[in-house]
Amino acid sequence: HFIEVGHDWSPGNIALLMNAADCLIFASRYEGSPCVVQEALACTCPLVTVDVGDIRDLTGTLPGVDIVERDADALAAAVVSRLSNAMRVNVPDSIREARFEVLAQRIMPLFKSLVRRP
């Protein structure tokens, strides 16, 4: 069964869904550091994704993560393979312990340097 998660789910329900999911399929065209991917990894949810934003840097070569071309057939084949080879992602503590606040503190100086104040 496929579940499309909408914007009206509470954070607690998102964690519940991620823990129950067989995999997250992520095919966004434009991203920075997608929160939903980080949430899935924090819940050890397998991932089928395109190479967008910092996903490749974040996941490296983690078993249970498939990064494929932005193509429907490639995505479908990876999902079939992932579902046939069920496993959770063994996420390193460095990813699991990441906090959005820490990331924001790291990138805020960049944003401030780009903004000219009168």
Side-chain angles (χ1 to χ4, degrees):
H1 299 145
F2 290 91
I3 298 173
E4 182 178 337
V5 178
H7 65 278
D8 58 344
W9 287 82
S10 72
N13 284 336
I14 295 295
L16 181 66
L17 284 171
M18 291 290 185
N19 278 294
D22 294 316
C23 77
L24 172 71
I25 306 164
F26 191 75
S28 180
R29 288 192 182 276
Y30 307 102
E31 291 293 334
S33 187
C35 295
V36 69
V37 168
Q38 294 174 36
E39 291 165 342
L41 292 173
C43 294
T44 71
C45 181
L47 174 64
V48 173
T49 182
V50 296
D51 191 5
V52 64
D54 69 349
I55 290 176
R56 189 172 296 280
D57 294 333
L58 184 63
T59 62
T61 57
L62 286 174
V65 175
D66 298 302
I67 301 175
V68 300
E69 295 297 317
R70 183 173 280 105
D71 172 79
D73 291 335
L75 281 162
V79 169
V80 168
S81 175
R82 179 62 37 226
L83 295 179
S84 298
N85 188 12
M87 66 181 301
R88 301 304 286 185
V89 179
N90 186 13
V91 180
D93 289 341
S94 60
I95 293 174
R96 198 169 309 139
E97 294 171 0
R99 299 285 185 267
F100 296 117
E101 298 85 9
V102 173
L103 177 61
Q105 287 174 352
R106 286 194 341 228
I107 63 172
M108 189 55 75
L110 172 64
F111 288 140
K112 287 182 178 180
S113 73
L114 297 173
V115 175
R116 292 185 179 194
R117 296 186 184 256

